[in-house]
Each structure stands twice: as C-alpha cells, then as structure tokens.
Amino acid sequence: KIYCAPGNPGIAKVAECVSIGDSEIDKLVKFAKENNIDLTVVGPEVPLVMGIVDKFEKEGLKIFGPNKECSQLEGSKAFSKEFMIRHNIPTAKYKEYTNLEEAIDEIDSFGYPVVIKADGLAAGKGVVIPENREDAIATLKEMMADKKFGDAGNKIVVEEFLRGIETSILAFVDNDTIIPMVSAKDHKKVNNFEQGLNTGGMGTFSPSEIYTEELDKHIKEHVLATTLEGFKSDKLNFKGILFVGLMITEDGPKVLEYNVRFGDPETQSVLFRLDTNLNEIMTSIVENKLKDIEINYKNDHSVCVMLTSGGYPEDYEKGKVITGLENLDEDIVVFHSGTKMIDEDLVTNGGRVIGITTKGNTVNEAAKKVYENIKKINFEGMHYRTDIGM
C-alpha cells in the first residue's frame, strides 16, 4: 500500500493521496505512526533541508533520505563548495559574498560569462549565467538587494564559467558504499539547441552518449569515492540519493553541484531502466547494507520530454485544461509534475506540467516514440523542446 503526501492526479493512479503538505513535518510524523508506515521516502529538497529525517528517526520511524546536516549539500551552495574544496573534489573556482558592493567590485575578476548562484534553495531557478558586466551587476542587485529569490539570496556564490558538456550521475549512498546509477543527459535550457533561460529540466535521455567506460572509471575514482571519503572524514552520516551535476571540461570532469534526492527529470529516464526492486534498494540503504545488494538495469534506452506552461521559467498561467492523455500508446508513461483536478478536468498547476517517457532499442527510437505521442496531447500555451534524444 502506497500513500503520497500531498500527491497529484498522476501518482493517484498507484497511491492514495493524503492532503498533508510536504513540509508539514509534524503532521507527516503523526500520519506515519497512525498508519504503521514501514518506510517513508522523501521526494523534495525542502523537507530534507528542514530536517524531516532527523525528526522521523527520533520517533523510531524508518525514512529514506539524508539528515538535516547532510542536506546542506543542496540547501547551501556555499556549504557544498567548501566541502568540495576541502576534499579536493574538482570544481570551478568561486567566492562567497554577503555584501553587494564587494560582489560588484570583484565581479570582473571571474571573466565572462560568469555563474551567479543564490546560496539557498530557489526551486531550481537560483542560478544565472550573465554574459557581460552590465547583466552581471543587474543579476547581483536582483538577488541581493531586490530579493528575487527571497532569503536564498542573502548570500551568493560567484563562480568561473566552465566550458564543456554537462552531464549528471545519480548514486545510491549509505555510510560505507556509493553506487552510481546508469547515466543520463539532462537538458536545462528552455529552448532547442541549449538556448534561452535555465529551467529545472526540459527532458533527459539515458544512457548519456558521452558517458564512456573511461569517463565512468574517472568519475567513480575522483568524484564519487572522494565524496564518500569526505562524508566519512566530516562525520556526515549520509544515507539516500546523491545527485552529482558535472561539467566535462578539457581538464576533466568538474562538479557543478550536489543535490540530495532524485533529480527531476533525470530520474524518469534512469529508473525507467532499473531492473532491481527499488524498495529493496532503499531499505538496504536505511539499514546500511547497500554493499549486500546487487543492482541491475535493463539494456533499453529511455527518453523523457517535459511539457511546460507557456512563459516558464518566468511568469506563466495555471489552470489550463489538458487533453489527449487517454490516447497515448501503452508503452508511454506520463509523469505528472504540475497538474491537478478541477471537477472532471485535469489542469496545469505548475511550470513543468508533465513528462512523457518511454524506452526503445536506441535513444533515437525512444525519442521518436515520445514525440509521436506528444502530438496527441494539448493544453493552452504548451511548450516543449523538439531536440531531446534526436
């Protein structure tokens, strides 16, 4: 039996939705106790950063995800950069700022384009890459003075811009073991050919075409193993999912960011290929027995394309009626991100609305299948990229 809080019309097909918000931790604890929940799995970053795992464990409840201290790897850009530097994990040069004037005075020293990040959580939108001094200063003022991302911009991190190919890896982690999942390629820019603003992700495919055996070996040794050693030496009791965003540069792979949960939409492509029971894997991590489980994947290739609201990642309207999902092929899975029911209608309720996912013998075959099915779906202002996996 699966419950989901708060859930949406997509997961309602497999789980019973419970109207508790994902950050109402005390209510979630109470619900888990009253319903004898064997395992709670935390999806989003906000409750992790708030310390939901610590509260559940204190009450003797099994929960999957990293504790409050470990979740700072995602909750604070400065914390994660300091961790990387301390443990010689390859990453971009950077500096933290809490003073706007100081940031403006020194911004030229990073060269252009430059990467400016709000330190705290900003729903995947707190990273801006200005191309010149004028735009950089405007961005600094928006984050630090105008509070575009609220308190997340009280401190900012400025980094050198890394050139290369972006890729990412998700890993299962407990205190003794780190096991990478199969690779995926994420597309962050809102428009084709990596044009336009950064988003939370417009689509993915797995495996990533650049993830060679040689690169896999290098990342396991110089990024994942080093990260695990860092956890041990800092006494960070990390259990759960580690997402590592990477830039493959001329000087080798460098870490862009850590997240402490399944990354959306990479997860759609990656878990689509998982052959081992996910519940067994998660339970083994909670019990610190990850090394005892064998994790297998299917040989298929998978593709997920996000359909978004018109205007996303900036202003967009909600409440647009979605039609056509009942006409999709049997081997298409629809992952709901921002949807809800109003009376009998399924409507949009966020920037990224649904992810259309399938698998095939090649990435191209899977992508063609996805795009043929997207033609059957409609809502006002619907936007998507047409080049993912193509």
Side-chain angles (χ1 to χ4, degrees), residues 92-135:
K93 291 198 282 286
Y94 83 105
K95 190 169 175 183
E96 298 167 25
Y97 295 95
T98 50
N99 180 293
L100 175 61
E101 297 310 317
E102 187 189 352
I104 290 171
D105 286 347
E106 295 182 6
I107 194 68
D108 288 344
S109 65
F110 293 89
Y112 296 99
V114 62
V115 182
I116 301 175
K117 298 177 174 180
D119 176 56
L121 295 177
K125 300 184 188 75
V127 179
V128 183
I129 307 174
E131 297 283 342
N132 53 53
R133 178 181 171 79
E134 187 186 354
D135 290 349

Side-chain angles (χ1 to χ4, degrees), residues 164-188:
I165 300 171
E166 206 173 323
T167 190
S168 56
I169 199 79
L170 284 154
F172 294 113
V173 188
D174 72 4
N175 294 164
D176 309 307
T177 313
I178 188 163
I179 300 178
M181 299 177 214
V182 287
S183 65
K185 163 78 176 153
D186 180 23
H187 298 269
K188 283 267 184 268

Side-chain angles (χ1 to χ4, degrees), residues 15 17 19-20 51 90 139 145 154 171 193 216 225-226 228 240 286 317 322 325 328 340 356 359 367 379 388:
C17 293
S19 58
I20 304 174
T139 299
N154 290 350
F193 312 117
D216 178 53
T226 320
L228 186 62
V286 171
E317 292 179 359
I322 303 163
L325 295 185
L328 304 185
K340 70 174 181 180
I356 308 300
K359 53 182 186 277
F379 57 86
I388 288 163

Side-chain angles (χ1 to χ4, degrees), residues 23-79:
S23 52
E24 293 182 286
I25 294 173
D26 292 338
K27 286 185 183 175
L28 292 165
V29 166
K30 186 169 178 270
F31 181 88
K33 281 181 155 179
E34 286 174 356
N35 291 276
N36 298 317
I37 301 297
D38 297 304
L39 179 66
T40 300
V41 181
V42 190
E45 64 276 32
V46 173
L48 288 169
V49 170
M50 287 171 69
I52 187 170
V53 170
D54 310 61
K55 285 230 175 141
F56 266 65
E57 286 180 344
K58 197 176 162 192
E59 296 291 335
L61 295 162
K62 272 192 186 176
I63 184 164
F64 179 80
N67 62 23
K68 187 174 185 174
E69 190 181 18
C70 296
S71 296
Q72 289 179 90
L73 286 164
E74 180 167 2
S76 166
K77 305 286 190 300
F79 179 91

Side-chain angles (χ1 to χ4, degrees), residues 43 48 142 194 214-215 292 332 344 366 371:
L48 288 169
E142 276 184 352
E194 308 312 319
E214 187 187 352
L215 183 60
D292 300 335
I332 297 285
E344 298 297 302
Y371 284 118

